[in-house]
């Protein structure tokens, strides 16, 4: 059986790459190679950049209302093909079908926001800033923008990027993860069907070599990235060194603080889903549960519930989550679990020998739960990116806040409590960008922005929401006088408006 070769999308056409280097795309549950992604040649990357630059000349002049209509048609097509996209995504990532559909839906929500672009692109005005002088501003696009997306959300995160950028009047080059490129390819097909002009969106595939061209080419004005901390640092440093606007979303170590006045069963249910859902491959997963005071008494019951969770194949309706994305990812998670045992943490639930019937070659790791974890342990300090939850015990809310604030990451956190004063204190004092109160994974809806802090984000402006508009645009301010007569008061030798 011939293996499907993923194509590049350049100049409005899907084209076979001229490369001789291909990356296998595997089913994480079976290791079957389901496709091959090309490593685009340098000439192909440059051709994509040139095509995007040429398309920008005309796309920037398209009325904002017409750009909005493209997004309206696009979101309608995404909804129409929602289940199909979910199946494609599930098969190449291993996610359960419901989780895959959720990935697609969160992306659709961002496209809906992009359809509101006319109001989001409005500038400001002020009349008579000086006698007979008015000032007003316009929001204008930057030019060619680029996005580099990770494997764990192959629908949502590309849809964070190119719809907002293109709605602002830019053109865009997408470099999706080479581990699951089939979902982004289908997203692009639907975007073309929605009426996007040729050249507005380009797609290239590959790895570091292809990314480096985007980072260094002066025609690329802004670049958005989501991925690991080391790569995010590299992207940010290299991109800004080449005078680009960069937003780089990185890793996390998200804490959930459990107050003893919270509802025990609600807490347990939420911790199970937020820690091992999607096999823990979420930058907003809860990986540390901080039990305050007597809430530590719930740890044995949480362990019992986690032990009942079973992973499985994407089309198994009883599966709680799927495999890890690759054998390498599994090996790293298993090695971290072994490290936790060596460091003295108590492994109450051990998923290292997980077996799923019928799928002996899958990248399976079962739910894993450590208690008696301390802040000096590697399993606490590093993002594991697997179905592993660490329990830490403290006596007071103040200690919990100090623990979270001392952590170098700041993506998301949550607190479970029935006390409004405790919730208010936590949300005010915690040094984390996204806070949930009795909500485990506080990913904001797209009329807000995704606002990670500290080492979870490198840059100044965040994804989607109003900050995305600012990231993908420039503000031009005009100060104008239209005198009613030819009266000339002579030269003004000061900076003051007269």
């Amino acid at each position: 059986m011939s293996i499907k070769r993923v194509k590049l999308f350049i100049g409005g056409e899907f084209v076979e790459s001229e490369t001789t280097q291909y990356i296998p795309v595997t089913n994480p549950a079976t290791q079957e190679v389901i496709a091959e992604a090309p490593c685009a040649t340098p000439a192909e990357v440059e051709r994509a950049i040139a095509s995007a630059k040429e398309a920008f000349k005309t796309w920037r002049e398209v009325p904002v209302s017409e750009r909005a209509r493209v997004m309206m048609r696009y979101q309608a097509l995404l909804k129409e093909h929602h289940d199909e996209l979910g199946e494609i995504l599930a098969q190449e990532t291993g996610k359960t079908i419901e989780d895959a559909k959720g990935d697609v839906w969160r992306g659709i929500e961002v496209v809906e926001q992009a359809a509101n672009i006319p109001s989001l692109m409005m500038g400001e005005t002020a009349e008579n800033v000086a006698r007979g002088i008015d000032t007003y501003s316009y929001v204008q696009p930057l030019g060619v923008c680029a996005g580099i997306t990770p494997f764990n959300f192959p629908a949502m995160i590309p849809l964070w990027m190119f719809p907002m950028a293109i709605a602002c009047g830019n053109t865009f080059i997408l470099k999706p993860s080479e581990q699951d490129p089939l979902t982004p390819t289908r997203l692009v097909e639907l975007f073309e069907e929605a009426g996007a002009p040729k050249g507005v969106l380009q797609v290239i595939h590959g790895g570091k070599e292809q990314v480096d061209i985007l980072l260094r080419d002066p025609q690329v004005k802004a670049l958005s990235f989501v991925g690991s901390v080391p790569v995010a640092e590299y992207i940010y440093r290299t991109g800004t060194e080449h005078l680009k606007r960069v937003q780089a979303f990185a890793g996390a170590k998200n804490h959930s603080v459990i107050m003893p006045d919270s509802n025990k069963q609600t807490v347990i249910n939420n911790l199970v889903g937020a820690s091992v859902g999607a096999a823990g491959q979420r930058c907003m997963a809860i990986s540390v549960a901080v039990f305050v005071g007597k809430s530590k008494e719930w740890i044995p019951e949480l362990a019992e519930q986690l032990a009942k969770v079973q992973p499985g194949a994407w089309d198994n309706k009883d599966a709680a989550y799927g495999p890890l994305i690759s054998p390498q990812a599994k090996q790293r998670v298993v090695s971290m679990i072994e490290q936790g045992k060596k460091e003295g943490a108590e492994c109450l639930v051990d998923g290292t020998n997980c077996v799923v019937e019928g799928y002996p070659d899958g990248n399976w790791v079962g739910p894993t739960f450590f208690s008696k974890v301390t802040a000096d342990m590697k399993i606490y300090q590093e993002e594991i990116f697997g179905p592993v939850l660490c329990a830490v015990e403290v006596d007071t809310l103040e200690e919990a806040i100090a623990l979270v604030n001392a952590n170098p990451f700041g993506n998301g956190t949550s607190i479970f409590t029935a006390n409004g004063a405790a919730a208010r204190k936590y949300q005010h004092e915690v040094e984390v960008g996204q806070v949930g109160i009795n909500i485990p994974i506080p990913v904001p809806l797209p009329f807000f922005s995704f606002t990670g802090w500290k080492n979870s984000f490198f840059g100044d402006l965040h994804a989607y929401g109003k900050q995305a508009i600012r990231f993908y645009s420039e503000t031009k301010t005009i100060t104008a006088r239209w005198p009613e007569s030819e009266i000339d008061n002579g030269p003004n030798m000061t900076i003051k408006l007269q």
Side-chain angles (χ1 to χ4, degrees):
M1 183 180 69
S2 62
I3 296 172
K4 177 180 179 180
R5 283 193 163 177
V6 180
K7 295 182 178 181
L8 309 175
F9 188 67
I10 300 175
E13 304 289 341
F14 282 100
V15 296
E16 291 275 2
S17 176
E18 297 176 356
T19 187
T20 57
Q21 293 182 288
Y22 283 84
I23 302 168
V25 180
T26 60
N27 179 335
T30 65
Q31 308 311 320
E32 174 194 2
V33 177
I34 56 178
E36 289 182 330
C39 294
T41 67
E44 288 168 337
V45 180
E46 293 294 354
R47 185 152 55 89
I49 295 170
S51 176
K53 184 179 180 183
E54 184 64 25
F56 176 66
K57 295 175 183 177
T58 52
W59 180 244
R60 68 175 301 176
E61 303 299 338
V62 172
V64 66
S65 56
E66 290 186 27
R67 301 202 301 264
R69 291 185 194 111
V70 171
M71 296 303 162
M72 290 177 192
R73 291 192 294 270
Y74 188 39
Q75 64 89 22
L77 284 169
L78 290 170
K79 289 178 180 177
E80 180 183 338
H81 294 271
H82 175 253
D83 289 357
E84 174 206 340
L85 285 163
E87 287 199 12
I88 295 170
L89 193 154
Q91 290 178 54
E92 65 175 343
T93 63
K95 288 188 180 186
T96 63
I97 188 63
E98 290 306 316
D99 192 22
K101 289 179 181 179
D103 184 332
V104 175
W105 186 258
R106 290 310 299 259
I108 289 173
E109 291 173 334
V110 180
V111 178
E112 289 177 338
Q113 183 70 356
N116 293 324
I117 198 64
S119 60
L120 297 172
M121 292 286 283
M122 286 182 178
E124 299 173 316
T125 64
E127 188 180 39
N128 279 336
V129 296
R131 189 171 299 278
I133 297 177
D134 306 324
T135 297
Y136 46 95
S137 65
Y138 294 136
V139 178
Q140 296 187 334
L142 294 174
V144 179
C145 302
I148 303 157
T149 60
F151 76 84
N152 58 332
F153 286 96
M156 181 183 76
I157 295 179
L159 293 174
W160 275 12
M161 297 180 187
F162 74 80
M164 296 299 288
I166 291 172
C168 287
N170 302 289
T171 54
F172 200 86
I173 301 166
L174 176 66
K175 206 299 286 181
S177 171
E178 65 281 5
Q179 293 179 285
D180 45 19
L182 301 180
T183 302
T185 295
R186 187 65 182 128
L187 294 178
V188 173
E189 291 173 348
L190 293 174
F191 191 58
E192 183 183 32
E193 188 178 333
K198 290 183 181 298
V200 167
L201 176 63
Q202 323 279 330
V203 181
I204 61 165
H205 299 283
K208 182 178 183 297
E209 180 184 357
Q210 290 70 28
V211 169
D212 281 343
I213 296 172
L214 297 176
L215 287 170
R216 292 181 166 88
D217 194 301
Q219 297 175 95
V220 177
K221 303 301 180 185
L223 191 139
S224 184
F225 169 83
V226 178
S228 68
V229 174
V231 181
E233 290 180 348
Y234 173 79
I235 293 286
Y236 183 72
R237 287 195 174 103
T238 308
T240 53
E241 180 185 346
H242 287 82
L243 307 179
K244 299 186 192 306
R245 188 175 293 184
V246 180
Q247 52 177 203
F249 299 84
K253 198 71 178 179
N254 304 315
H255 299 66
S256 187
V257 173
I258 315 303
M259 299 299 290
D261 62 3
S262 56
N263 181 282
K264 179 176 68 173
Q265 196 55 52
T266 298
V267 166
I268 290 174
N269 289 341
N270 279 279
L271 284 178
V272 170
S275 60
V276 304
Q281 296 175 123
R282 298 169 175 157
C283 67
M284 287 291 284
I286 293 297
S287 54
V288 180
V290 184
F291 290 91
V292 180
K294 290 187 177 181
S295 69
K296 67 183 178 183
E297 297 171 3
W298 305 346
I299 289 176
E301 290 181 63
L302 173 57
E304 289 177 14
Q305 293 302 311
L306 279 166
K308 295 177 182 178
V309 174
Q310 294 296 316
W314 71 271
D315 55 354
N316 180 353
K317 61 181 178 60
D318 296 322
Y321 62 86
L324 294 176
I325 190 65
S326 68
Q328 294 78 15
K330 174 184 175 178
Q331 181 54 44
R332 181 182 181 277
V333 172
V334 169
S335 67
M336 290 289 287
I337 293 171
E338 294 306 315
Q339 179 70 22
K341 295 173 186 176
K342 291 177 183 177
E343 290 178 323
E346 185 175 350
C347 190
L348 301 178
V349 183
D350 187 348
T352 53
N353 295 316
C354 178
V355 175
V356 174
E357 186 177 353
Y359 296 91
D361 298 322
N363 308 316
W364 308 110
V365 176
T368 301
F369 183 34
F370 284 102
S371 66
K372 297 182 170 46
V373 175
T374 57
D376 60 343
M377 294 180 180
K378 187 176 181 180
I379 57 170
Y380 174 81
Q381 294 173 347
E382 294 188 17
E383 182 178 37
I384 299 174
F385 224 58
V388 182
L389 179 63
C390 298
V392 178
E393 299 172 24
V394 298
D395 294 326
T396 65
L397 176 59
E398 287 76 13
E399 287 181 62
I401 293 172
L403 177 76
V404 177
N405 287 351
N407 193 277
F409 298 106
N411 224 24
T413 187
S414 61
I415 183 171
F416 284 85
T417 181
N419 187 315
R424 172 65 173 76
K425 176 182 178 67
Y426 190 73
Q427 73 177 37
H428 178 67
E429 295 184 11
V430 74
E431 295 169 5
V432 175
Q434 297 166 112
V435 181
I437 298 173
N438 298 317
I439 292 174
I441 302 180
V443 177
L445 288 167
F447 28 86
F448 289 89
S449 296
F450 187 94
T451 51
W453 284 13
K454 297 193 284 191
N455 286 356
S456 294
F457 177 71
F458 304 101
D460 301 297
L461 296 168
H462 293 84
Y464 60 80
K466 292 180 180 178
Q467 291 196 37
I469 304 302
R470 293 174 61 197
F471 180 76
Y472 289 122
S473 66
E474 289 279 22
T475 300
K476 179 180 289 184
T477 305
I478 299 98
T479 302
R481 168 185 279 148
W482 295 96
E484 296 181 10
S485 66
E486 296 298 325
I487 298 175
D488 185 357
N489 295 323
N492 177 10
M493 305 304 291
T494 76
I495 197 171
K496 181 180 177 183
L497 289 175
Q498 295 178 356

